[in-house]
Structure formats: structure tokens, C-alpha cells
Amino acid sequence: MSSAYEILQTARAADHPSGKYYIEQLCTDFMEMRGDRRFGDDAAIIGGVGRLAGMPLTVIAHERGSDLKERSRRNFGMAHPEGYRKALRLMKQAEKFRRPVLCLVDTSGAFCGIEAEQRGQGQAIAENLMEMMTLRVPIISVILGEGGSGGALALAVADRVWMMENSVYSVISPEGCSSILWRDPGRVKDAAECLKITPGDLYRLGVIERIVPETPNEGVVPALRGALSEAFQMLKAQPVDVLCEGRYQRFRRMGVYQE
């Protein structure tokens, strides 16, 4: 069994499949839509409309890039406020036309540079959290690689949250955790274990609903496509008010304990 640190390294690997890869493999007739209508387009987030097993849906994904040049253009998957506003614009459009929303998460976190703060990074993330909680269409989020902090959560307030087998999901990176708690960046492996960032840990804690196997590789995409199609059909069958209340209660249950 792989350790938390080993899974973290696999999730961060340069050849780990990206959001763009899964969009291309899962969807047909995908049409990308750009811009937030306030500032500009953010290449760290890809969004648009496509079909999943014949079903129209809106797809939004973090994209890190596949080589150094593209990674630089896409800011290594760390979105600016306009990226999250673009995502929200597409979600509200999906709500208007009653399309389900699929979010593919793969980011170490939202970009924390001064220009992002000047353009309202915190507000953009907060608005996504608020609006997604009441969005009147089904939402499924899949953590593809690294799901870091609010940058990941801004696309993960969903009816179902799934994780790929080699992915992590955490409020802070193990590097940040070890530096803050122990003032020792060398304790990254300890931090990774303590944070409970692996799919197995998070499934047991009730934070996610499904772990998607990644082996054998040739069977990953068809299995994921079938599972998503089935899950969306089940969610679409629910009355909208029941759907939204279930999503709200899903997050209210987290962290509840008894002494």
C-alpha cells in the first residue's frame, strides 16, 4: 500500500493526466468558452459545454499544462479571480439551461500573488462556494491529482465528490503544514500522514463518496464515463429542492462528532 507521501508525489507527477486530457477523453462535441466578462480569460481553468455519453453537460477543469511553456501560460493550474468567475458564469449558464455540471479539480491552490488579491481572489472563491451550494442542477466534482485549499474547494461544493486513486485533497500542502506546525520543512512525510489527504482516508471520513481506480490505465476513462453517467442520471431524477438540501446537508455533516 502506498504511503500518503508517495501518493502525493504521484499526484504531482508531470505525466499525471490533466483536466484537458480527461475532457478530451470523456466528452464529445466539447466547445470551450472563455472569459469572465470583467477582466479577461484565465488559462488555468478550462470550461465549456460538451456531451458525456450523449448527455449535454457543462465541464469545468483546472489545467496545469503538459510542458514548461504551457505550464507557465496556465500558471501551473493556480487560478486567478477571473478563472473562478469564469467557472461561476458557466455554472449559472448550466443552471439556466438545466445542464449538469462536472468539475475536474487539479490545483495546488488559488494563485496568491498581489495582482490576484487586488482583483478580489477571496471574494471570487467565496462567491463560488455560496453559489454552488444552491445551484439548481446536479454537480459532481472529481479530484484528478492535487486538490489544494480553497482553490480546489471553489470547484468542489458538489453533490458527489470523487477522487482518483492517485490524488490528494487537503486544506494545506504538507510542505506548508510542516513549516507552520513544526517549523521544519523536512517533516513533509509526517505532515502528509497527519493531514489525512489520501482517497482512503477521506472516504473513511465521509468527505468523498467514491475512489476511482487508475489501474489498468486503459480502463480508467470508460469506467469513469460510465460511473459519471449513472450518477448524473440518479441526481437528475431528484426534485431540485431535495437535490439542493442534500448538498447542503452533505457539508453540514462534515466535522460532526460526539464525545
Side-chain angles (χ1 to χ4, degrees), residues 8 34 58 60 66 85 146 229:
L8 175 68
R34 299 181 174 89
T58 291
I60 301 162
S66 56
R85 287 195 294 260
E146 192 172 7
S229 178

Side-chain angles (χ1 to χ4, degrees), residues 77-96:
M78 297 182 291
H80 289 75
E82 51 269 25
Y84 293 113
R85 287 195 294 260
K86 173 170 66 173
L88 182 56
R89 176 173 70 83
L90 293 175
M91 290 183 212
K92 298 300 286 185
Q93 182 193 76
E95 183 179 53
K96 178 179 180 180

Side-chain angles (χ1 to χ4, degrees), residues 207-218:
V207 175
I208 66 169
E209 282 77 29
R210 185 190 287 255
I211 301 171
V212 182
E214 293 190 69
T215 52
N217 290 333
E218 61 271 15

